Amino acid sequence: LMRSWFTAMPGEVLSCVGCHERQSTAPPVRKTLAALRPPDEIQPWHGPTRGFAFRRELQPVLDTYCVACHDGTPRPDGRTIPCFVDGEPVPTQDNKNGINQASRFSPAYYHLRRFVRTPSKESDLHLLPPWEFHADTTRLVQMLQKGHHNVRLDPDAWDRLITWIDLNAPYHGNWTDIRGAKIVKPQRQRRRAMRERYTGMQDDPEAVYPRQPPEPRHSCRAAASPSPTSRPATSPREMCPPAIDPTKTPPRPTSQPLPTMSIPLADGISLELVRIPPGEFLMGQSDGRPDERPLHRVKIDTPFWMGRFEITNEQFALFDPTHDSRIEHGDFLQFSPGERGYTLASPKQPVVRVSWNQAMAFCQWLSSKTRRPFTLPTEAQWEYACRAGTTTPLWFGTTDTDFSPFANVADATHQAIDSFSEPGRPQMIPPWRPADTRYDDRYRVSAPVGTYRPNPWGLFDTHGNAAEWTRSNYQPYQAELSPTRSTAPESPPKKKVTRGGSWYDPPNRCRAAFRQPYPPVQPVYDVGFRVICEPGNKG
C-alpha cells in the first residue's frame, strides 16, 4: 500500500526516516520505494515474499527437533504423545457440498495447534488489551522455555515459531492451498496484473518456494543430559542440599479447624481469611519440571492470614471500577454462544487480566482501607498453604485422581460441537487444548469462587480456576530458599511467579509445585491472585 502511494504521488515524497521529514522535489518527479532507500537496507525475511504456510515454514522445524520423539510410536507406559510427523490433510467436514477444503489440516498441525492460544473465527470484537495473545502465554512456548526434553531451538526455528503464533497460527499459505491451482489460476493471473499495474510490485503471492528437508538435531530417546521425563536414577537425598533430609516427613500441622476472620469491605462484600500456622514442608517436586527442583525443606517461622478465596471481580471493582475481566473466546472452528465467548467478569468469578503491579496496588489499597498489612504471598507461603500438610502433587491426590469435586481444570467441558455440522448430525471437536476428558468439573471457564471443596486448611481453588500471582521473583531455588523475599523495585523488573494453574490447564500444570513466570506489567487472561495479611495485623 505504501509503495503504491509513493509511486503515484506527483510532487513530493514523505520519508519515514528522519522523523517523517517532508522533502520537496522540484520539478515534480515520480519515485518508487526502491529509489528512496539504500540498497539492501531491508532484507527479505527468509526468502522472497510469500504466504506463510504451516507445512512449508513450520513443519521443517518439527522435522528437525520433534519427530525423533513425537513420531506416533506407542510408548511402553501407555502415554499418548502428540505425533508431529507430516501427513496429508484430513477433512473436518464432508457434506453435500463436498469436503470443506479450507478446514483441511495435516495431523501434525492439529496436534501442535492445541498448544497455542489465538483468537477464534468469531472472537472478542472489542479492542484487545496489550499482551492478550503474546506468544509467551502459549503453552508451547512455555514448555520450550523450560527446556522441554532438552530441546534447544536455534534462532531461525524460534523466529519461525513466534512468527507462526503472531500470525494466528495459520495452516494455509495461499489460495492455491485451499482451492487448488486449476481454480485459482485465472484469479492469480488477474491479481498479479493488477498489483504490477497499480503498485509496481511483481511478486506472486501464490508462488511456492520449497525448502530442503533438514536433518534431525534432537532425540529425547538418546539425550545425554537429564530431562523432566528422562533422567538418571537419583536418590531424593541427592536432589536436595546436604543439610536437608527429604526422607523425613515434616511434622504435619494440626488437623483441627483453623481460625478464620472476615473483614467487611462494602455492603454485602467481605474478605474471608484463614490463619495459616507456622511449620515446615518440602517445597518443589523431585520428579517435576527442572525449575521445580531441587526438592528442599522450607520453614515458615511465623503465622499469616491468607484469603480463603481468590480475589473476585466484585472485590477488585471496589479498588478499580473500570477493570473488566472480559471474556474467553471459543475454540478455533467453534462459534461461541452469547457475546462471542464465555464471560470471566461475573461478580463471584476470580478477577483475571490483572498484572502483578495491579495486584500489588490492590494490596496497598486494601492495607490503607483496613489498616492491616496486606500483600501477595511468597512462593513458599503459597505452596505451604496449598499443600496444607499433604505431600502429593495435588492436595487431594495425584494427577490421575478424579478432580471434579476439588478443582476447576481443563476437562471434558472443553469439547465442543463443530458449528459447521449439518443439522441433526452434530460433530464433536476434541478439546482444542490439552485436557483430561475422563472427568467433568462442570465449568468451561472460571467458576464462582468456593464452588469446589476446600483443602484441609479451608482454602478454596488452590488448584485451577485462576492461576495466582505471588510476590516472588522467578529464579532457581538454589539462589534463595527464604520464604520471605525482597519486594524492592528492580531495574529491569524480573519476571514474577504464578502458581496453581487455571481452568485452561490440565492437572499436571495445576500441581502444588508448578511454577509459571510472567513480567510484572503483563495482564494474563487466566491469572488472578489472593492476598495474605502478615504479622503485625490486628487479628
Side-chain angles (χ1 to χ4, degrees):
L1 181 62
M2 288 184 65
R3 186 168 187 173
S4 173
W5 185 74
F6 280 132
T7 305
M9 200 166 188
E12 59 183 7
V13 175
L14 181 64
S15 173
C16 295
V17 181
C19 301
H20 301 276
E21 178 183 3
R22 280 190 181 273
Q23 299 176 344
S24 176
T25 58
V29 297
R30 294 168 61 87
K31 290 189 177 182
T32 65
L33 183 62
L36 295 176
R37 59 173 174 78
D40 302 325
E41 181 181 342
I42 301 176
Q43 295 292 336
W45 184 82
H46 296 294
T49 301
R50 64 205 183 278
F52 192 102
F54 176 87
R55 297 185 76 183
R56 293 189 288 271
E57 305 292 347
L58 202 61
Q59 184 63 48
V61 176
L62 303 182
D63 294 340
T64 302
Y65 292 97
C66 305
V67 297
C69 296
H70 293 270
D71 60 358
T73 303
R75 298 295 187 261
D77 60 3
R79 294 178 59 200
T80 300
I81 298 179
C83 179
F84 294 146
V85 177
D86 192 19
E88 287 302 313
V90 295
T92 58
Q93 175 190 3
D94 188 359
N95 55 30
K96 62 182 179 180
N97 297 321
I99 294 175
N100 183 355
Q101 301 287 340
S103 58
R104 297 183 71 233
F105 313 104
S106 68
Y109 176 85
Y110 273 113
H111 285 300
L112 190 68
R113 180 64 173 76
R114 295 171 62 236
F115 292 87
V116 174
R117 180 177 179 271
T118 66
S120 61
K121 282 192 169 184
E122 290 199 352
S123 193
D124 190 347
L125 298 184
H126 299 89
L127 184 65
L128 297 178
W131 305 80
E132 177 66 20
F133 290 103
H134 194 278
D136 284 355
T137 66
T138 69
R139 303 312 185 231
L140 177 61
V141 171
Q142 291 172 359
M143 287 191 298
L144 292 171
Q145 287 176 335
K146 289 193 176 190
H148 175 69
H149 290 278
N150 300 314
V151 172
R152 295 292 184 269
L153 302 184
D154 62 26
D156 176 84
W158 271 118
D159 197 9
R160 291 180 180 277
L161 178 63
I162 300 303
T163 300
W164 178 62
I165 295 172
D166 287 345
L167 292 175
N168 292 336
Y171 179 75
H172 305 292
N174 51 39
W175 284 104
T176 303
D177 292 342
I178 299 174
R179 302 297 295 165
K182 184 176 180 180
I183 296 177
V184 172
K185 182 177 179 180
Q187 301 168 357
R188 176 182 184 179
Q189 294 172 339
R190 180 62 173 165
R191 287 175 65 196
R192 293 197 65 190
M194 297 295 284
R195 287 166 70 88
E196 184 173 1
R197 178 176 181 179
Y198 291 104
T199 70
M201 300 171 68
Q202 298 180 353
D203 57 302
D204 182 4
E206 296 295 318
V208 174
Y209 303 91
R211 301 179 63 216
Q212 294 295 324
E215 293 294 330
R217 301 184 187 178
H218 174 79
S219 173
C220 62
R221 297 171 186 168
S225 56
S227 72
T229 58
S230 175
R231 58 176 59 90
T234 306
S235 70
R237 186 182 300 274
E238 292 172 330
M239 299 293 292
C240 304
I244 297 174
D245 183 1
T247 61
K248 180 181 178 182
T249 304
R252 185 170 182 137
T254 177
S255 59
Q256 298 178 355
L258 299 180
T260 61
M261 176 171 57
S262 179
I263 300 177
L265 300 179
D267 290 342
I269 303 176
S270 60
L271 180 64
E272 306 293 328
L273 302 168
V274 177
R275 188 177 186 273
I276 307 300
E280 294 182 0
F281 77 109
L282 294 179
M283 186 172 181
Q285 187 168 327
S286 60
D287 60 348
R289 306 289 175 86
D291 63 346
E292 299 166 17
R293 306 192 299 265
L295 188 69
H296 55 281
R297 187 181 299 277
V298 173
K299 184 176 182 180
I300 304 296
D301 294 315
T302 57
F304 58 92
W305 293 89
M306 190 173 205
R308 294 184 68 197
F309 311 103
E310 297 160 326
I311 294 298
T312 63
N313 285 305
E314 66 178 2
Q315 290 172 331
F316 195 80
L318 299 175
F319 161 68
D320 181 4
T322 66
H323 179 77
D324 185 1
S325 291
R326 303 174 71 97
I327 66 172
E328 174 61 5
H329 60 78
D331 288 331
F332 193 49
L333 296 178
Q334 175 190 3
F335 288 88
S336 302
E339 191 190 353
R340 303 183 185 275
Y342 307 88
T343 185
L344 299 172
S346 67
K348 298 297 184 181
Q349 284 178 290
V351 67
V352 291
R353 290 187 172 93
V354 289
S355 68
W356 184 90
N357 291 337
Q358 290 173 301
M360 288 297 291
F362 175 88
C363 292
Q364 294 174 359
W365 168 84
L366 187 61
S367 299
S368 176
K369 181 178 179 63
T370 63
R371 297 186 179 182
R372 302 171 189 268
F374 281 96
T375 186
L376 296 177
T378 65
E379 281 199 87
Q381 289 170 327
W382 189 96
E383 186 172 335
Y384 174 66
C386 172
R387 292 187 179 277
T390 65
T391 57
T392 48
L394 305 154
W395 67 258
F396 53 83
T398 70
T399 54
D400 287 324
T401 301
D402 182 358
F403 51 78
S404 53
F406 308 103
N408 177 20
V409 304
D411 65 331
T413 62
H414 289 251
Q415 298 177 111
I417 298 178
D418 188 345
S419 299
F420 290 106
S421 298
E422 290 188 71
R425 296 178 57 189
Q427 281 187 315
M428 293 301 296
I429 301 176
W432 200 241
R433 64 179 64 96
D436 190 338
T437 58
R438 295 176 297 173
Y439 310 117
D440 184 350
D441 58 38
R442 308 183 308 283
Y443 281 87
R444 171 63 175 73
V445 293
S446 63
V449 298
T451 297
Y452 303 91
R453 298 178 191 173
N455 76 357
W457 287 353
L459 301 175
F460 293 81
D461 301 317
T462 53
H463 301 299
N465 217 28
E468 302 174 20
W469 287 111
T470 70
R471 78 170 184 265
S472 296
N473 294 330
Y474 182 66
Q475 56 192 358
Y477 282 144
Q478 295 91 329
E480 187 178 359
L481 301 182
S482 170
T484 56
R485 299 176 180 177
S486 173
T487 57
E490 304 146 347
S491 181
K494 295 181 180 179
K495 289 186 176 182
K496 301 295 182 178
V497 180
T498 64
R499 290 299 201 108
S502 76
W503 45 263
Y504 192 91
D505 295 307
N508 190 52
R509 288 179 57 97
C510 298
R511 293 173 293 109
F514 184 82
R515 314 167 72 200
Q516 182 55 49
Y518 293 105
V521 298
Q522 180 176 3
V524 187
Y525 64 96
D526 66 339
V527 175
F529 64 101
R530 75 176 70 217
V531 299
I532 66 167
C533 188
E534 295 191 308
N537 60 49
K538 299 179 182 181

